[in-house]
Amino acid sequence: MFRCDQCGNNAAAFFCQADDAFLCTQCDIQVHAVNRLAARHKRIGISTMVTSPQHAASLPAEEWRRRFHAAASPASSTDDYLDVPDIA
């Protein structure tokens, strides 16, 4: 499975999109208890996307990061952006 990016010792339990990090439960609590902004970071449980150590090993870590980012992001839409004219 994935190792925690913070401590490097424990198996990761979560992926934090804002921090681009795999975190174990203990480090997730420490990192996201710092302040209200950090507490609002969207995290995904590893077990929701990875079913086994063999499944985790089936793709490179960077591909898993891409997939976790995609899962954490709302579907993008042109409605999400403001059309602001250039100021000359």
Side-chain angles (χ1 to χ4, degrees), residues 27-70:
C27 289
D28 178 69
I29 291 168
Q30 290 174 346
V31 167
H32 293 104
V34 173
N35 59 51
R36 287 186 196 164
L37 292 175
R40 293 190 329 212
H41 288 177
K42 181 162 184 164
R43 279 114 62 210
I44 299 173
I46 299 293
S47 63
T48 63
M49 291 184 62
V50 181
T51 57
S52 69
Q54 295 79 12
H55 185 212
S58 69
L59 293 170
E62 288 310 309
E63 176 61 17
W64 280 114
R65 284 185 192 279
R66 187 193 68 72
R67 289 179 181 209
F68 276 101
H69 275 290

Side-chain angles (χ1 to χ4, degrees), residues 13 15-16 20 26 34 46 53 57 62 64-65 67 73 76 78 87:
F15 178 79
C16 175
D20 188 32
Q26 182 178 352
V34 173
I46 299 293
E62 288 310 309
W64 280 114
R65 284 185 192 279
R67 289 179 181 209
S73 298
S76 62
T78 55
I87 298 175

